[in-house]
Amino acid sequence: MNGKALPYLLLMPATLFLCVFFLYPFALVAFEAVTRDGAFTLDNFRTMAGSWKFPATVRNTLLLAAIVVPIQLAMALLMASVVSRLETGRSAALYIFAIPLGISDLAAGLIWLAIFDQSGFLNTLLSGLGIVDRPIMFLGYQSKLTIFIAVVLAEIWRATAIMMVILVAGMGLIPREYHEAAEVFGASPWKRFVRITLPLLRPSLQTAIILRVILAFEVFAVVAALGGTNLPVLMGETYNWQFTLQDRNVAAASALLILAISIGFTLFFLRVLRVPREARI
């Protein structure tokens, strides 16, 4: 076999996979977003933006990402630091922390629904302690703040492990000699973390933050389980346009908006957390 052709042959399966399952569907969605009855138009985007739910949808999605991702990043750093420092039981701790990764989005939403429901665990606990006389409707249509808090808690519990696993892998690549040398010169654990771990962890931080931000903009099942339509988000409205209102053109426009926001934030974090070539491990 010609040695020059071998790399291209090895890349061919992955290339075909991307073309069939990403590029082709993307082209179809993009075409649907800018056409109506076969003619080019931007009315689909105008219809989407003119919906009375659109401002709240964008606000809720961005607010969820702005609250959830920083909290998850701080918790993932803490969990990864704990796992990396363990001499014994490291694998067990990693598996325990990663348990939520094996639970689907909808299942996670239903678990937290069982906590906040009118007949759920939280009301049972409060009634048993004598704090309340009758169950509280935490997830009622008038309790939008409580629904938002419930979604935030569910997302933090469900997806923090994604970032933790990436950061644990990144910490494992940092040479121990750097920390040992800093310790010899009297650097405190906090200074070693800030001056050594965080700078050398930037490639892993970049990957973890970008992945989590993209997933935060695609939140749907947890919101559907806990809030239904009481907490509109971009992905939920895309589903609503496609299956409830039966307007696939506006649904495609909404999907492109989510893609555009995701690409924008990806480019932002690639720029902010860019690692110079000479600084890489």
Side-chain angles (χ1 to χ4, degrees):
M1 182 180 293
N2 189 348
K4 293 183 178 179
L6 181 60
Y8 299 100
L9 290 174
L10 293 175
L11 286 173
M12 188 177 295
T15 304
L16 289 174
F17 179 86
L18 288 174
C19 290
V20 173
F21 294 103
F22 178 74
L23 292 180
Y24 177 65
F26 170 74
L28 290 179
V29 170
F31 179 77
E32 293 282 356
V34 296
T35 58
R36 170 75 68 172
D37 298 326
F40 176 81
T41 180
L42 295 178
D43 287 344
N44 300 320
F45 292 94
R46 296 190 188 97
T47 302
M48 175 192 68
S51 171
W52 66 272
K53 279 187 178 182
F54 183 74
T57 297
V58 175
R59 182 181 66 248
N60 291 337
T61 305
L62 294 177
L63 193 58
L64 267 174
I67 293 175
V68 169
V69 175
I71 295 175
Q72 286 184 320
L73 177 60
M75 292 182 63
L77 281 170
L78 178 61
M79 293 160 65
S81 299
V82 170
V83 170
S84 299
R85 290 175 182 272
L86 289 176
E87 297 294 337
T88 58
R90 178 178 176 178
S91 297
L94 186 60
Y95 289 143
I96 291 172
F97 285 151
I99 285 175
L101 285 179
I103 301 174
S104 68
D105 297 5
L106 182 58
L110 293 176
I111 289 171
W112 284 84
L113 178 64
I115 295 174
F116 285 98
D117 193 50
Q118 196 168 359
S119 58
F121 173 76
L122 184 56
N123 269 311
T124 302
L125 178 63
L126 294 176
S127 298
L129 294 175
I131 297 176
V132 296
D133 297 327
R134 56 183 180 178
I136 302 173
M137 189 176 290
F138 290 108
L139 304 178
Y141 70 95
Q142 293 181 326
S143 307
K144 296 192 181 214
L145 177 60
T146 309
I147 294 173
F148 186 87
I149 293 172
V151 171
V152 168
L153 293 175
E155 279 292 294
I156 290 172
W157 174 80
R158 181 189 67 82
T160 300
I162 297 174
M163 303 181 77
M164 180 208 65
V165 170
I166 297 173
L167 296 182
V168 167
M171 288 182 179
L173 296 175
I174 300 175
R176 287 181 173 270
E177 289 81 2
Y178 294 168
H179 291 280
E180 292 170 357
E183 190 174 0
V184 167
F185 284 100
S188 64
W190 174 251
K191 274 196 174 181
R192 295 200 299 270
F193 178 77
V194 173
R195 299 291 180 86
I196 297 175
T197 303
L198 280 183
L200 295 178
L201 204 59
R202 284 180 73 175
S204 299
L205 285 171
Q206 186 185 74
T207 303
I209 291 174
I210 289 173
L211 177 62
R212 189 61 195 98
V213 167
I214 291 174
L215 293 176
F217 291 136
E218 297 175 0
V219 64
F220 170 62
V222 172
V223 175
L226 291 172
T229 58
N230 291 322
L231 186 69
V233 291
L234 281 172
M235 190 60 74
E237 282 306 293
T238 304
Y239 177 90
N240 186 47
W241 281 111
Q242 176 72 33
F243 296 102
T244 305
L245 301 176
Q246 297 288 310
D247 193 331
R248 63 184 184 181
N249 298 97
V250 179
S254 182
L256 280 189
L257 175 63
I258 297 172
L259 177 63
I261 294 174
S262 299
I263 291 175
F265 276 92
T266 297
L267 294 175
F268 171 76
F269 286 115
L270 284 173
R271 178 67 179 173
V272 171
L273 297 175
R274 184 175 60 89
V275 182
R277 185 183 298 271
E278 62 274 7
R280 296 173 187 172
I281 298 175

